[in-house]
Amino acid sequence: MGIKTAEFMRRAGAAVLLVLVVAWLVAPIARAYQLVAGHSSDPLAPRDLVVEEVRFKTGADNALTEAGVELAGWTIHSVHGAPAVVLVHGFKSSRQEMLPWARFIHDAGYNVLLFDTRGCGRSGGTTVGLGATEPRDISLAVEAARDQFGTTKVAVLGISLGAGAAILSAADDPRVSAVIADSAWTDQDLQLSRLSFLPLGAVRVPLPPYGIAAVNAMVSADVAKARPLDAIARISPRPILLIHSADDDNATTPVEGARALFAAAGEPKELWVAPRGGHVGAINAFPDEYRARVLAFLSGALR
């Protein structure tokens, strides 16, 4: 091998090594952004429901954030002064996901507000909060429901990410009259732990330890402190209904988590574990029983 060829190979190897090192250093930040990046969409209004657009604005989360973001939603009116239900969608989804719930709850005579949490649907914001910021959005939606419908009786029904966020919101907001949490999570420990390595086939490449700090900086909150399991007891004496499928295969929402949440909750509380359905799938696997259980709970909690 000639001197020039050897020198070229040396420089090429050094360049490749430099690229690999830089990629390794940047990987935690890239993975953090991928996890919390917002998902804007254009929810389609249903043809079978009369919806009205509603918008409300958040306050600043802290001194370093902007004045607030505008949240977008729909109201579905029943009778002014009748109880209301706020519906909260799952991870990187939108209010459109909650239309199956809106239909049967509205048919039962309740006012309904469904909205896009920050970073989703038509709402402002560039990131989702993994449950660290969504509870504040839910509290604002509850306030909007009270104003729009003229009622102090407002329940919150959330699914998946929205289920845990509903628990956290109710724990700190006494204006939430009752909670229905479908396929809730207990904490974000698993999600955050995945930021510490890069899966390459069967190999896990360790990454620099600032992925969690990057997530917290992007969402302007400490995600590790978003722990429904630690907060759920504070909802009592307001009622809570937990719904889960026995075969939920989502790694962040195993059925054991629902049982732990139920054990930690104060009275009054209910837990329904559907025999099957998968993640947020009990409503499809057992539609009649699902609706009957939800409406019976709402009747007792809000009437």
Side-chain angles (χ1 to χ4, degrees):
M1 183 181 293
I3 297 178
K4 291 185 178 180
T5 300
E7 178 66 14
F8 172 80
M9 294 298 293
R10 186 187 68 79
R11 292 185 178 182
V16 170
L17 179 60
L18 177 62
V19 169
L20 290 175
V21 170
V22 171
W24 181 73
L25 292 172
V26 172
I29 298 174
R31 285 174 62 78
Y33 179 75
Q34 183 182 37
L35 179 61
V36 302
H39 187 267
S40 297
S41 62
D42 191 17
L44 298 177
R47 295 182 179 181
D48 58 329
L49 292 171
V50 179
V51 302
E52 296 181 10
E53 294 282 346
V54 62
R55 291 183 177 272
F56 42 98
K57 195 169 187 179
T58 71
D61 294 332
N62 56 53
L64 300 178
T65 61
E66 58 192 40
V69 298
E70 189 175 60
L71 304 177
W74 291 320
T75 55
I76 307 174
H77 291 257
S78 176
V79 176
H80 193 74
V85 180
V86 171
L87 301 178
V88 190
H89 61 78
F91 181 62
K92 295 191 180 183
S93 183
S94 76
R95 69 190 108 148
Q96 187 170 346
E97 182 180 28
M98 302 309 298
L99 287 174
W101 286 264
R103 289 186 176 96
F104 80 83
I105 291 173
H106 178 259
D107 286 346
Y110 296 96
N111 295 301
V112 177
L113 187 152
L114 49 166
F115 75 106
D116 306 324
T117 57
R118 70 183 66 194
C120 295
R122 293 180 190 162
S123 287
T126 58
T127 59
V128 300
L130 300 180
T133 58
E134 286 81 3
R136 294 193 293 271
D137 297 347
I138 293 171
S139 288
L140 289 170
V142 169
E143 180 181 353
R146 287 163 63 101
D147 292 342
Q148 290 281 325
F149 304 128
T151 182
T152 59
K153 297 180 179 180
V154 182
V156 177
L157 186 158
I159 65 171
S160 192
L161 180 65
I167 291 170
L168 291 169
S169 178
D172 292 328
D173 190 344
R175 297 172 303 173
V176 178
S177 304
V179 175
I180 302 173
D182 184 337
S183 306
W185 44 282
T186 59
D187 55 58
Q188 292 291 9
D189 292 352
L190 178 62
Q191 290 274 41
L192 295 176
S193 70
R194 291 171 172 171
L195 298 173
S196 65
F197 64 88
L198 184 66
L200 295 177
V203 178
R204 291 186 173 187
V205 178
L207 293 175
Y210 43 78
I212 295 176
V215 163
N216 292 342
M218 291 174 190
V219 305
S220 300
D222 188 344
V223 174
K225 291 182 178 179
R227 305 182 70 84
L229 185 61
D230 295 343
I232 194 169
R234 299 202 302 271
I235 296 175
S236 178
R238 292 163 291 155
I240 181 167
L241 168 61
L242 298 168
I243 298 173
H244 224 92
S245 297
D247 60 349
D248 189 337
D249 60 358
N250 188 309
T252 63
T253 58
V255 69
E256 291 79 10
R259 300 190 192 281
L261 287 167
F262 183 72
E267 296 288 352
K269 59 183 178 179
E270 299 177 32
L271 169 64
W272 176 42
V273 177
R276 64 182 186 281
H279 187 59
V280 197
I283 189 174
N284 299 318
F286 302 93
D288 293 338
E289 184 174 3
Y290 189 103
R291 293 164 186 161
R293 286 179 178 272
V294 167
L295 294 180
F297 174 82
L298 290 175
S299 178
L302 300 181
R303 301 289 187 189

